[in-house]
Amino acid sequence: MYRIKIHKLLKSETPRDNIIVKGWVRTRRDSSNFSFIEINDGSCLENLQIVANESLENYEDIKKLTTGSAVAVFGNLIESQGRGQQWEMNAKALEVISLAPDSYPLQKKRHTDEFLRTIAHLRPRTNKYGAVFRIRSELSFAIHRFFRERGFRYIHSPIITGSDCEGAGELFKVTTIDFENPPKKDGKIDYSRDFFGTEASLTVSGQLSAEMFALALGDVYTFGPTFRAENSNTKRHVSEFWMVEPEMAFCDLFEDIDLAEEMVKYLTVYILEECSDDLKLFTRFVDKNLKPALENIAQSEFKRILYEEAVEILRKSGKNFKFDISFGKDLQTEHERYLTEDFFKKPVVIYNYPKDIKPFYMRLNDDNKSVAAMDVLVPRIGELIGGSQREERLSMLEARMNETGLLKENYWWYLDSRRFGTVPHSGFGLGFERLIMLMTGTSNIRDVIPFPRTPNSIDF
RNA sequence: UCCCCAGUAGCUCAGUUGGCAGAGCGAGUGGCUGUUAACCACUAAGUCCGCGGUUCGAGUCCGUGCUGGGGAGCCA
């Protein structure tokens, strides 16, 4: 006899005798001579109703069960006599594993997201956050499955890096230097005496590593944490977040866009099909339009437009934007939202951006002023994916590095890839938390990562 | 980093012109009922975010700091 998880029991076709269920009490309702106890074991959104009769020897203790207490129940799964659930469990014995005191912060009522953030260690015990983190797990699995079905290899790119990759934002330094008494040379801190013999930092992207492996294994992807030390305070930024970064050899920008679109749709369909119970909760309590919005993503063809066309549409929109629009400037949040939410009302891919607003590794187009870059914008989230065809021509790459002031010596290994068997290749980065926000309707990124790290906040 | 808003019971909030600290929910106790965010009654529960100021008197007005939220920038 072993423990059976609730999600399995609730799918049962027949009654079952002499089973064991373990979980946490969500609520207790007493009758004159018996109690209903709803327990949840995290295996699914649904609770299992336990019927505990006064004939149980520890019934007095059972009547004191509080929300949050842990129990083990031995008994029979029977068809429920009441309405509201198909199955319930008739307890033949109920062991109180631990009793939660009445100071347990989670009450039998809805809490605000702001309050739950202050008890992030307990929030996965709520219906909503349980659902968020089950979906997070399912999405991770779906991503691996998507790539595996297409012959991609999973690459573990380093977390600690010596190269100031691509200048994508502020870096967190990694050091063992004693700041009270740092080694110095010519008045400056001497990093040659630091742990790695040079400055090191947490990675902001696995892309450069992924490129090296794409040029060996063909199609690869990374999926891991990345770090930005930017003082960003918005609903869409955290200092530690997860990124999915595929990289493909023998692949141009348009095949790159194809993969991005295929992937977003695949993951959307996966969640619609595999997480329908959890999704119902979000549609009911978080975003009434979530399900139709996801179906729209799954079914519609993503609109693909040139950066120039996007600028034209924005110019002619008649909207009074706070920031003005002109070729050579990056699109602002308000512009992206207008395009994807109001104008096209579906995901939009914008490509061929001006080279000056994009990093050095993106491939220069023949017009000499734009690069083969693409962004996938989705309603409510904005930029979900950013990608490009990489500059595979050594001389062009070196020229771009000079323009942007990067030292070739630091990228000798990266440049080697363009010396030895270089080929056209492309890839993109997808912000995993933003994907979860999209799939669950959650509006704050802090609510889709277990323990969010943001400026001035690293509790838990 | 900039702009705006907020901070009162465990939670969500009200608090009038500056004049006795309040409600709902939750919790505890008792009752009732195959109940289901159960229901009914009673009870307990407060550094009104911190510091300073104005005033006979400050939850309320002023200054300042902290924390949280929203928007912007940076970006995924």
Side-chain angles (χ1 to χ4, degrees):
Chain A
M1 200 163 49
Y2 54 95
R3 171 163 91 97
I4 302 178
K5 291 197 177 177
I6 290 172
H7 81 105
K8 203 169 173 188
L9 282 179
L10 292 178
K11 280 192 213 145
S12 195
E13 306 269 313
T14 56
R16 299 184 63 165
D17 288 345
N18 301 328
I19 54 172
I20 292 179
V21 174
K22 298 181 184 184
W24 292 273
V25 174
R26 284 294 176 82
T27 180
R28 193 196 80 235
R29 294 179 290 271
D30 297 327
S31 243
S32 48
N33 47 11
F34 59 97
S35 292
F36 297 105
I37 303 155
E38 286 202 33
I39 66 170
N40 186 287
D41 66 2
S43 62
C44 59
L45 184 63
E46 243 56 54
N47 301 325
L48 177 65
Q49 175 165 284
I50 308 291
V51 182
N53 199 278
E54 65 176 344
S55 60
L56 291 168
E57 56 165 352
N58 59 343
Y59 188 64
E60 281 309 305
D61 293 337
I62 290 169
K63 274 179 74 173
K64 291 191 181 114
L65 274 177
T66 49
T67 301
S69 296
V71 294
V73 189
F74 169 72
N76 299 339
L77 186 75
I78 57 171
E79 284 197 48
S80 180
Q81 297 169 36
R83 286 173 197 185
Q85 60 279 314
Q86 186 188 358
W87 298 106
E88 66 187 18
M89 189 169 166
N90 207 346
K92 291 199 267 189
L94 192 154
E95 179 201 347
V96 179
I97 297 173
S98 68
L99 197 66
D102 59 26
S103 56
Y104 184 58
L106 294 174
Q107 305 173 351
K108 292 191 291 185
K109 55 178 256 185
R110 284 187 77 184
H111 284 296
T112 59
D113 295 322
E114 290 80 11
F115 171 67
L116 291 170
R117 255 169 244 153
T118 69
I119 49 169
H121 58 308
L122 300 176
R123 66 180 179 169
R125 302 181 186 199
T126 64
N127 286 338
K128 179 176 161 182
Y129 287 88
V132 165
F133 294 112
R134 273 190 298 273
I135 285 186
R136 187 177 169 113
S137 170
E138 288 303 304
L139 270 175
S140 304
F141 172 76
I143 284 164
H144 287 299
R145 201 176 82 165
F146 173 83
F147 285 124
R148 193 164 199 283
E149 285 173 0
R150 284 155 187 76
F152 282 64
R153 307 297 182 180
Y154 177 32
I155 304 301
H156 297 123
S157 52
I159 305 294
I160 302 175
T161 168
S163 54
D164 171 12
C165 343
E166 53 175 302
E170 296 292 315
L171 306 165
F172 283 106
K173 277 188 182 153
V174 175
T175 178
T176 54
I177 283 179
D178 175 10
F179 286 111
E180 301 296 319
N181 184 25
K184 287 200 172 173
K185 194 176 179 186
D186 305 330
K188 285 180 169 176
I189 292 182
D190 182 9
Y191 284 102
S192 71
R193 290 165 67 190
D194 198 356
F195 187 88
F196 294 106
T198 182
E199 281 190 78
S201 48
L202 294 177
T203 185
V204 294
S205 162
Q207 180 196 316
L208 302 191
S209 306
E211 281 187 58
M212 300 307 101
F213 276 75
L215 297 176
L217 302 185
D219 294 335
V220 302
Y221 68 105
T222 71
F223 183 9
T226 51
F227 308 86
R228 305 281 164 90
E230 259 141 30
N231 191 14
S232 297
N233 293 286
T234 81
K235 298 195 292 182
R236 304 184 310 281
H237 294 89
V238 276
S239 310
E240 178 183 293
F241 64 99
W242 286 58
M243 252 207 306
V244 180
E245 295 178 287
E247 195 69 36
M248 296 154 283
F250 312 107
C251 175
D252 67 17
L253 183 70
F254 299 99
E255 293 166 305
D256 197 32
I257 296 173
D258 288 344
L259 186 84
E261 176 169 352
E262 192 185 350
M263 177 171 170
V264 172
K265 285 177 173 171
Y266 178 98
L267 298 174
T268 308
V269 169
Y270 184 91
I271 292 302
L272 281 167
E273 286 176 358
E274 303 293 326
C275 303
S276 56
D277 283 349
D278 287 327
L279 214 52
K280 267 182 213 152
L281 178 143
F282 294 109
T283 304
R284 192 163 159 213
F285 294 114
V286 180
D287 178 2
K288 295 258 180 294
N289 295 318
L290 181 63
K291 201 160 176 239
L294 292 182
E295 281 160 354
N296 179 38
I297 289 171
Q299 287 155 17
S300 63
E301 196 171 307
F302 291 11
K303 183 68 190 178
R304 301 179 186 198
I305 55 170
L306 291 160
Y307 165 86
E308 281 178 320
E309 293 174 304
V311 169
E312 248 344 86
I313 290 168
L314 291 165
R315 272 225 191 93
K316 289 179 181 162
S317 69
K319 299 280 277 190
N320 201 2
F321 292 115
K322 211 170 148 195
F323 293 87
D324 50 297
I325 312 121
S326 62
F327 187 90
K329 282 190 180 169
D330 208 355
L331 301 178
Q332 303 293 327
T333 303
E334 57 177 350
H335 304 142
E336 296 179 348
R337 294 191 66 157
Y338 172 78
L339 288 170
T340 184
E341 289 172 12
D342 299 334
F343 195 81
F344 291 112
K345 294 183 171 39
K346 62 177 182 178
V348 180
V349 183
I350 301 176
Y351 64 98
N352 285 358
Y353 280 82
K355 67 172 180 175
D356 293 336
I357 57 172
K358 290 293 180 185
F360 75 96
Y361 53 74
M362 294 189 175
R363 190 179 197 279
L364 190 64
N365 288 323
D366 292 342
D367 63 10
N368 248 338
K369 57 179 189 177
S370 70
V371 289
M374 64 93 167
D375 283 352
V376 179
L377 312 179
V378 295
R380 229 190 56 249
I381 306 293
E383 186 181 339
L384 178 69
I385 287 174
S388 67
Q389 183 170 341
R390 319 307 188 187
E391 182 56 79
E392 85 280 12
R393 299 162 296 187
L394 181 63
S395 58
M396 308 290 269
L397 187 61
E398 285 177 331
R400 283 287 286 151
M401 289 179 76
N402 284 337
E403 275 178 44
T404 47
L406 292 171
L407 291 174
K408 282 192 280 184
E409 301 86 81
N410 294 345
Y411 292 86
W412 64 272
W413 53 274
Y414 187 71
L415 292 168
D416 257 7
S417 67
R418 273 63 171 172
R419 280 190 192 100
F420 309 127
T422 188
V423 297
H425 61 286
S426 302
F428 62 80
L430 174 145
F432 186 49
E433 281 74 20
R434 289 188 182 174
L435 180 73
I436 304 169
M437 292 167 76
L438 178 69
M439 296 295 174
T440 59
T442 304
S443 59
N444 195 311
I445 196 168
R446 295 176 182 90
D447 297 334
V448 299
I449 188 164
F451 298 109
R453 274 81 178 90
T454 53
N456 268 317
S457 170
I458 190 156
D459 284 340
F460 312 106

